[in-house]
Amino acid sequence: MSKHNIVFIGMDTHKSFIEVAYIEDVRGVKPIHLGKNPSTKQSVIKLVRRF
């Protein structure tokens, strides 16, 4: 049997930056704030690879 993990990702998008936070679907876990990232294509690709 495989275990499934659910992660909720929140993104606040602006023209010059993207602010990102995520939280796992586990009771009592606090959200993790990844901070502001530039809105460049390279930065978004790097962000996606983190997940």
Side-chain angles (χ1 to χ4, degrees):
M1 181 180 265
S2 65
K3 183 178 178 182
H4 299 283
N5 294 327
I6 298 174
V7 177
F8 297 97
I9 302 171
M11 299 175 71
D12 185 14
T13 59
H14 298 273
K15 187 174 184 177
S16 60
F17 66 90
I18 301 171
E19 197 156 348
V20 181
Y22 72 92
I23 189 168
E24 295 179 13
D25 189 25
V26 179
R27 185 170 279 183
V29 175
K30 293 186 178 185
I32 298 171
H33 184 254
L34 296 177
K36 291 182 180 180
N37 297 310
S39 291
T40 62
K41 183 178 178 181
Q42 293 172 339
S43 177
V44 173
I45 290 171
K46 183 177 178 182
L47 179 65
V48 170
R49 288 185 180 159
R50 288 174 95 174
F51 290 105

